Amino acid sequence: MQQLNFSSYSFRFKNSENKVSIFDPIRKKFIILTPEEWVRQHVVQFLMAEKNYPKSFINVEKVLKVNGLRKRYDVVVYNSDGSIFILIECKAPEVTISQSTFDQIAQYNMTLKSNYLMVTNGLNHYFCQMDFENKKYQFLTELPHYQLNRI
């Protein structure tokens, strides 16, 4: 797999029926290794190793309803009260991050009401903080670290 713009992490792999799978510590199972999954697993490690978010606060690939349609988010980080703190959209490295990528995550966030957004293709990372009052987001240089008594 392609080298990504993250620290180096160790992963567990297995080969079955000529397909490589990577172990997802959140879902606690092996997932077929696609370019997008490679990015998603780096994001999970980044959140735990670099930003110190507890594994129990992270969720991966769940279905949500947006305007009556079933959509799937890539990664979320919860607050201790169960509300969503960070919403993350992962793309494969060959996918260029564009305005439509931000439109997609913003549409999801109308339902989820996350404080922070991250969009990444593993090479380029974009971080935003939501301003719900003014219906816009502000770009940041990084995501906040985990704080025990945040909420």
Side-chain angles (χ1 to χ4, degrees), residues 18 44 59 83 131 134 143 146:
N18 289 334
V44 167
N59 207 325
S83 62
D131 177 353
N134 296 306
L143 288 175
Y146 173 71

Side-chain angles (χ1 to χ4, degrees), residues 79-122:
N79 284 304
S80 58
D81 70 356
S83 62
I84 295 178
F85 187 62
I86 306 170
L87 172 61
I88 302 162
E89 180 64 29
C90 301
K91 298 294 185 190
E94 67 272 7
V95 176
T96 303
I97 304 295
S98 65
Q99 184 60 49
S100 68
T101 313
F102 283 98
D103 292 346
Q104 177 185 1
I105 197 170
Q107 187 178 38
Y108 288 6
N109 203 37
M110 284 200 255
T111 300
L112 298 174
K113 304 279 190 258
S114 174
N115 297 58
Y116 292 90
L117 305 177
M118 175 181 178
V119 177
T120 183
N121 62 4

Side-chain angles (χ1 to χ4, degrees), residues 13 16 32 59 83 96 137:
F13 299 97
S16 175
I32 291 180
N59 207 325
S83 62
T96 303
Y137 48 82

